[in-house]
């Protein structure tokens, strides 16, 4: 019911994957966008490596999409071009390496304008636009996390870990929006798709809106995600 929903990936519905790919350890070639607000679908498709379906990862019941050592999916970035946005991600990292570990990365060939939601070496989170990210020293370890990222033309960039009222990090000056030249957004890596920039872990849900949600809307979605994945809202 919340407007301006661009895409919605999740793992628990039959329509999220092909039946033949919704089996433990099976390679995923398409993660379907289940957004019912628009006939335009931003399905995420295989780009590199082997991304697999894993049963009973979240709350011992909900499956996860497993990314490992350079595997990645990608989707069309055009819907994100030149706009405010709100992004929710539910994920559980399994290991980290030195450098950037991109959960979401890319949008343009210019790194300074690219979408960046990543772990920096271990547990520190970078979130936002590559040249204007906020940084938060996460304490969640290897537990499931809800990441909420809002970029507003009026109020800048804000990041919440596991919801709540006050953002963990913010950058009021971060109002420069990225452009898009048709390049994709990668899930599990950055545009250059190297092992050095890869994410290792399970992703359960990605929800993207093409506007900055109001506080009540953000908290409503975080409440839904917290209940679904048994994650305590901070």
């Amino acid at each position: 019911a919340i407007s301006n929903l661009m895409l919605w990936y999740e793992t628990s519905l039959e329509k999220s994957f092909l039946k033949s790919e919704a089996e433990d350890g099976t390679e995923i070639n398409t993660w379907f966008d289940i957004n019912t607000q628009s006939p335009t679908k931003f399905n995420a498709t295989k780009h590199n490596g082997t991304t697999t379906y894993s049963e009973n990862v979240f709350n011992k019941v909900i499956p996860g999409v497993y990314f490992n050592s350079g595997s990645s999916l990608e989707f069309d970035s055009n819907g994100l071009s030149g706009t405010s946005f709100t992004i929710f991600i539910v994920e559980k990292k399994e290991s980290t390496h030195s450098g950037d570990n991109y959960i979401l990365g890319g949008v343009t060939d210019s790194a300074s304008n690219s979408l960046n939601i990543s772990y920096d070496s271990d547990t520190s989170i970078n979130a936002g636009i590559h040249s204007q990210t906020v940084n938060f020293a996460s304490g969640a370890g290897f537990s499931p996390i809800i990441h909420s990222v809002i970029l507003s033309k009026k109020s800048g960039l804000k990041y919440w870990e596991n919801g709540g009222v006050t953002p963990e990090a913010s950058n009021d000056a971060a109002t420069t929006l990225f452009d898009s030249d048709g390049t994709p957004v990668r899930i599990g890596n950055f545009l250059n798709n190297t092992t050095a920039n890869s994410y290792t872990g399970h992703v359960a849900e990605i929800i993207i809106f093409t506007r900055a949600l109001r506080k009540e809307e953000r908290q409503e979605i975080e409440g839904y995600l917290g209940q679904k994945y048994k994650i305590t809202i901070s």
Side-chain angles (χ1 to χ4, degrees), residues 91-224:
E91 58 85 27
K92 179 181 180 292
K93 66 180 180 291
E94 302 297 343
S95 68
T96 56
H97 56 74
S98 61
D100 294 318
N101 300 241
Y102 281 90
I103 307 167
L104 284 184
V107 167
T108 77
D109 290 321
S110 171
S112 63
N113 292 327
S114 294
L115 181 64
N116 176 358
I117 301 177
S118 64
Y119 286 103
D120 183 4
S121 297
D122 44 26
T123 59
S124 181
I125 279 285
N126 293 314
I129 298 171
H130 200 279
S131 62
Q132 301 180 22
T133 57
V134 295
N135 185 271
F136 171 62
S138 167
F142 294 95
S143 300
I145 296 175
I146 302 169
H147 305 281
S148 305
V149 184
I150 295 181
L151 177 68
S152 168
K153 293 181 180 180
K154 294 181 180 180
S155 56
L157 183 66
K158 292 180 172 59
Y159 168 80
W160 291 261
E161 180 179 278
N162 295 334
V165 177
T166 304
E168 269 68 35
S170 62
N171 182 351
D172 294 342
T175 56
T176 301
L177 301 176
F178 45 75
D179 295 320
S180 173
D181 57 5
T183 55
V185 172
R186 298 264 157 79
I187 310 173
N189 214 311
F190 188 53
L191 267 180
N192 57 13
N193 218 81
T194 64
T195 301
N197 287 322
S198 65
Y199 162 83
T200 299
H202 290 90
V203 179
E205 201 144 341
I206 301 174
I207 308 173
I208 300 179
F209 292 85
T210 53
R211 66 178 175 90
L213 296 191
R214 299 188 302 273
K215 179 181 72 173
E216 294 79 9
E217 293 172 323
R218 173 183 61 80
Q219 291 179 327
E220 184 176 0
I221 293 174
E222 290 166 345
Y224 150 75

Side-chain angles (χ1 to χ4, degrees), residues 50-95:
T50 302
T51 302
T52 55
Y53 180 93
S54 298
E55 293 181 347
N56 306 326
V57 175
F58 294 86
N59 195 27
K60 299 181 180 180
V61 176
I62 301 175
V65 176
Y66 182 60
F67 297 86
N68 183 30
S69 299
S71 67
S72 61
L73 303 174
E74 64 182 21
F75 60 88
D76 188 344
S77 65
N78 290 336
L80 280 172
S81 177
T83 184
S84 300
F85 61 74
T86 302
I87 299 175
F88 300 93
I89 301 174
V90 179
E91 58 85 27
K92 179 181 180 292
K93 66 180 180 291
E94 302 297 343
S95 68

